[in-house]
Amino acid sequence: MSLLQVRSVTKRFGGLTAVDDVSFDVFEGAIKAVIGPNGAGKTTLFNILTAFDRPDEGSVMFDAADIVGWPPQRIVRAGIARTFQNTQLFEEMSALENVMTGAHAVTRAGFLSAALRLPWTVREERDVAEEAGRLLRLVGLGQWADAYAADLPHGLRRLLEIARALATKPRLLLLDEPAAGLNTAETAALADALYRIRDRGVTILIVEHDMGLVMEVSDEIVVLDRGAKIAEGPPRLIQKDPAVIAAYLGEEDADEL
Amino acid sequence: MRERRIDIRTVVGLALVAALVFAVPVLTSDRYLLKVLTFVGVNVIIVTGMALLFGYAGQVSLGHAAFYGIGAYTSAYVVSSLGWPWLTGVVLAVVLTCAGGLLLALPSLRLKGHYLAMATLGFGEIMRVVFVEARGVTGGPDGFSGIPFASVGGLTIDSAGGNYWLIWGVAAVVLAFAANLVRSRAGRAMRALHGSESGALACGIDLTGLKVRVFVISAALAGLAGALYAHVVGFISPSTFSLHVSVLLVAMAVLGGTRSLAGPVLATVLLTMIPFADAVIPGLSRSALEMIQEWQEDVYGLTIIAVLLFVPGGLAGALRRVSGWGRRAE
């Protein structure tokens, strides 16, 4: 079943067409990758899917609802979560609190009930903290719960952002270059985490430059070049696709394909 | 989970401070000192709201004296001119300042940038003129006098000690609610907003809604403090609610520091006492006190500049660093 349908999405910034008439589907339970040379429009596409940006044309259907024009918080509630290319953690909060904040959309305590410390809000807090602890362990950060986000090493920060995104209880998880800056061991740990997340029933759409990771984990790949989709298919076919190879020629990633 | 558990030493410390604060009227019969400390309590109520707004949600208001004034004049008018019960006056003051805060926050917080600071600055000036010109309600530049003491049922709170307990009782409840709030989902959302707006959006936090709520709460607390103040002093005039009071409130929040309630409360005690230094420093000469009072605005201004330059995080940040050293030493 198609969980996400992107149809003819176009986004222009002045004279530049950052995303040019892009259409593709993400099927439930899949890990799908979006790749392409720098400036291909991958992050802009992510921003459109999460309402950080609005498309000029086209539609985005998530679970049969057109989500274009929804505010970000509604999209999160609908079940789309994301991470950022430049991690957007809450530096002065602990890892556990970062993940607990991710549960904002799926919890209820308001200003008044929290100020009065009503019993149900105390229970909700405890449940949120327990779930946040579970998610930290899922991404391998169990022993870092009390550390400030600012004190975490780079590789762990990306995992923390994934745990925070999972706390929103997403059906679709968008990961923007999760392996950037990770060493080989950390990338392998990330791949394991992605499988565990997928096995929990979360569909994953990933933007990534690390071709080894992309080829290993993804079921399907969409290739963008200068905003337009130039190929789509399973990793083996993408690796041999002449248009893809041409797009990457002269790019340092070309030999990695 | 460790830091979420409330430290037993913190609980004992808070209980001791609370006991000391509430014992003051028993320990001293100095009416002047009690009055000054009552003003400190009034400011603590307002600054609690400012701490949520500035220290947690990262928004600046330059017009909170206006809400303070709206609360004071509302309750004074309702109780003194209309003859309604004191509690009605206080409740109406809070309702009116909530509404005012909402009207001001909704348009200015939808926009990115410093629109709230500008809007509150303008609002403060508008209200200052209203306080002077709406003579029928406010008494104009001569002020509003003869405001009766607080009374509930047949009980009138007319002693200096009684008013002290009233104000600090309300301040304690306000602080307890605020302390619960900052440790909750809403408090996390506020700190998240301060930390990374993109991250907060990705967590499904409605940024505008959150900012508006915090602003309305801070306005309501200023209104509550104003209503209580009016009945404690019995006389209010426009100068009590002018821009320099708004700046003083910002100075307290800035000196107090971010992500803290204790820091701003401490800053409030210090800065409120400056013009009344003779209440705690025995033998302070008349001329020395006058000099302090003449220069007090400069003290507030310099405080803001000094904190921003030299003490990032304010008193709260300094306290955290000290306790951080303590922890490392253990």
Side-chain angles (χ1 to χ4, degrees), chain A residues 9 46 93 96:
Chain A
V9 164
F46 263 32
M93 291 162 76
L96 189 80

Side-chain angles (χ1 to χ4, degrees), chain B residues 143-287:
Chain B
F144 196 130
S145 55
I147 306 164
F149 281 116
S151 63
V152 186
L155 179 74
T156 299
I157 303 169
D158 53 4
S159 69
N163 277 299
Y164 175 94
W165 275 319
L166 170 69
I167 297 296
W168 277 100
V170 174
V173 171
V174 165
L175 275 172
F177 281 180
N180 285 341
L181 190 62
V182 299
R183 281 172 186 76
S184 73
R185 169 177 179 264
R188 270 195 305 277
M190 284 188 260
R191 282 185 289 157
L193 157 73
H194 210 175
S196 159
E197 292 215 352
S198 294
L201 281 172
C203 291
I205 294 166
D206 170 7
L207 296 185
T208 306
L210 181 69
K211 290 177 196 171
V212 169
R213 280 189 187 87
V214 179
F215 186 80
V216 168
I217 288 174
S218 70
L221 287 176
L224 172 66
L228 294 171
Y229 171 80
H231 298 278
V232 167
V233 293
F235 169 77
I236 52 176
S237 70
S239 65
T240 314
F241 313 111
S242 59
L243 176 64
H244 94 262
V245 175
S246 289
V247 174
L248 166 63
L249 294 171
V250 172
M252 290 169 179
V254 170
L255 173 62
T258 53
R259 294 180 294 121
S260 165
L261 294 173
V265 167
L266 196 58
T268 304
V269 177
L270 292 174
L271 291 187
T272 309
M273 298 293 281
I274 286 177
F276 305 108
D278 55 334
V280 281
I281 306 174
L284 189 73
S285 76
R286 191 76 218 153
S287 60

Side-chain angles (χ1 to χ4, degrees), chain A residues 52 73 76 84 88 90 92 94 96-97 100-102 104-105 107-109 111 114-117 125 146 164, chain B residues 1-4 177 180-181 183-185 188-189 191-192 196 198-200 203-206 213 217 259:
Chain A
F52 279 64
Q73 67 267 21
V76 174
F84 298 86
Q88 295 287 334
F90 312 124
E92 295 176 328
S94 71
L96 189 80
E97 285 179 307
M100 289 176 73
T101 308
H104 186 89
T107 43
R108 295 188 301 127
F111 273 77
L116 297 174
R117 220 175 138 75
E125 275 292 290
D146 292 334
R164 185 182 71 185
Chain B
M1 298 293 275
R2 226 171 304 137
E3 70 186 282
R4 294 179 48 75
F177 281 180
N180 285 341
L181 190 62
R183 281 172 186 76
S184 73
R185 169 177 179 264
R188 270 195 305 277
R191 282 185 289 157
S196 159
S198 294
C203 291
I205 294 166
D206 170 7
R213 280 189 187 87
I217 288 174
R259 294 180 294 121

Side-chain angles (χ1 to χ4, degrees), chain B residues 101-152:
Chain B
L102 196 62
L103 283 176
L104 192 59
L106 269 181
S108 51
L109 283 172
R110 273 173 204 275
L111 305 165
K112 280 198 169 169
H114 297 296
Y115 290 94
L116 183 72
M118 296 311 292
T120 50
L121 184 63
F123 179 70
E125 281 309 285
I126 291 169
M127 289 315 299
R128 189 184 60 81
V129 174
V130 170
F131 296 150
V132 173
E133 298 300 330
R135 286 159 207 268
V137 178
T138 65
D142 298 337
F144 196 130
S145 55
I147 306 164
F149 281 116
S151 63
V152 186

